[in-house]
Amino acid sequence: MSAPTTADFPMTVSPATAAALPPWPEVVSWLSAPERRHAVDVLRAARRPFVQPRCGVGEHARMLASLRTLDQAGPGLLSVTIDSHTRLGHFGTAARVLRERPADLNGYPLLAHGWERGRELAAAAGVPLEVRHGSPEARDLFACTLASGITSFEGGGIGYNLPYCKDVPLRDSLESWREVDTACGELAAAGVVVDRELFGTLTGVLMPPSISLACAFAEARLAADAGVRCVSIAYPQSGEVYQDTAALRAIPALAGRYLPAHVEVHPVLHEFMGVFPRCPGCARSLILLGALTARLGGAAKVINKTVHEASGIPSAEVNADGIRCAQLGLSPLLDFVELDEGLLAEECGWLRREVTELLDPVLDAADPLPRIVSAFARGTLDVPFSASVHAKSVVVPGRDARGAIRYRDFGALPFSPAVRRHNDACARRPQPAGDLLTTLSADINHFAAGRSCERCAATPTGRS
Amino acid sequence: MAPQRLVILGVAESDAHAVANRLIAMHLSQAGFEVVNLGTCTPLADFAAALRRHPTAEAVLIGSLNGHAYADLRDLPALRAEGELRCPVVVGGNLAVGVDRSADARRRLLELGVDRVLTDAAELVPLLDSLRPKVAV
């Protein structure tokens, strides 16, 4: 770590990355320029939720073209989604595939392209960019993101570790993200506020809301302690509108409990992350429902889906269509849609209680980091379907009769008898014939089979 | 009693999709298989090492949903040339980036030496049954 430019970057970066980056003072002055518009400005100005697509292709020229196409659809922010090789720190593989067959990359390899091209991306769109990825250790990528002039960065030591890789110790990922967050604190002192979005979506399938919010707020607390001033708390749509609205409305209340008042907090809804219906009509209905839910829940933004969700990465045109579809769900024409406030308050109250039972024992410490590590080791914090060996993954979720996600098996989560009784009362429903696999598959295929047209239901995965 | 049928299962090196992996492991266990599940983000060399530990495995089953199957499996010919992974290698999932490139992706994987390419996990047990006489002799 002795290359001359590493010393002035406020976090550890590899010598190869450091050698390629501009000096830190140049980065700060680039980010501070008055003409620069940042994600935080858009988040603060939002009166209704805005839409943000995912977007990442391997080739630079195609990426520029995609951003320009998506910009036409009126998003609030645009994304630079990073390819899987770069996410895992395999920068050499990403660079090789970029040379040999760039169309094989499932995202934009920012480090292989370099920060000068990153600045071209930032200049190509009329709205600020966010880097979305899935890196358990993201210091090199964050340094390159900042040098690119991008000040919105997704991820954290839990949400970008447990769902995204097999064997990075949680302590390592949390400590490396602490450096990212400390750098955000230094930038805030220099007048540049970085939006740090926390990926409560986790593995994206049947995620119990209390697990999503507990993981996001654990990361948010560490981020705030390290100096972060702006966090976006992302929650994945379960598809049951009362549960989702309650979860979004729980975010400001939980922020009041766990974060200092000077940290600004923006709720984010990820449109449904599970198996999407294949036919365009059912897919569009689900996209519209997601956006409407975001409005009812008071989200700042919606991360949208597309009608090609079931089949693969969408083209820029299909992605732009997804933005427009979500915008329909945000239309003031639908403002007449209201939910039963009594039912919402009840759902929200139970959810807040679940989260506090998970988090109070962990966050009641001067430095919660070691407690978070040991909570996952013991399973008192857990993530279902984890990719990582560092979560127990013994919690089993399931849908209740309304479609809301409940706990089928609590694993070692430290819930009180009252919370358990309430969950079990909600979860009670006639079980479909068959074993756990059949039941889980039916819950996973909820929108691709159970709540869609006959054509979708006949082949939920479309692979007959 | 017939000896237990055994398969080696895992997800390709750059891929962290765990849900299908868990469900397929449950499905194969219910169908009577012993499943050595290497989980997500598994390099090809780790599949080879697992096959050395479990030489009776009927097949190595590699899932890939992120479109990176080709890059993740490109060392297969080299490993086979060294005498590794000499059992049926089955790859399944979403095999290419983009919507309309699956036929091309399938052809390239077969050219690498992958024995079978699947897009539906329901075809897995019938496929293993059909491969069985080859491994029995």
Side-chain angles (χ1 to χ4, degrees), chain A residues 83-85 88 90 93 96-97 100-101 103-107 163-166 203 205 308 311-315 385-388 393 435-437 440-441 444 461 463-464, chain B residues 13-19 22-24 26-27 30 38-43 46 65-68 70-72 74 93-94 96-99 101 104 107-108 119-120 123:
Chain A
D83 69 287
S84 299
H85 301 301
L88 292 168
H90 301 160
T93 309
R96 191 196 70 223
V97 179
E100 293 175 358
R101 266 179 89 108
D104 277 5
L105 288 164
N106 64 354
Y164 279 108
C165 62
K166 179 149 74 178
T203 49
V205 175
H308 278 177
S311 30
I313 297 177
S315 67
F385 305 117
S386 171
S388 169
S393 243
D435 48 26
L436 179 61
L437 179 62
L440 266 179
S441 301
I444 288 170
T461 57
R463 289 169 184 160
S464 58
Chain B
E13 180 167 11
S14 74
D15 198 326
H17 284 91
V19 181
R22 296 287 177 92
L23 294 180
I24 289 168
M26 287 169 75
H27 173 63
Q30 284 180 5
L38 306 177
T40 61
C41 299
T42 301
D46 289 7
L65 283 173
N66 70 359
H68 282 182
Y70 185 84
D72 285 341
R74 76 196 304 266
N94 172 33
V97 176
V99 176
R101 300 181 53 224
D104 178 46
R107 180 184 54 75
R108 292 168 67 215
T119 51
D120 185 350
E123 296 166 15

Side-chain angles (χ1 to χ4, degrees), chain A residues 246-257:
Chain A
L248 289 169
R249 291 193 189 178
I251 289 170
L254 291 166
R257 186 179 182 94

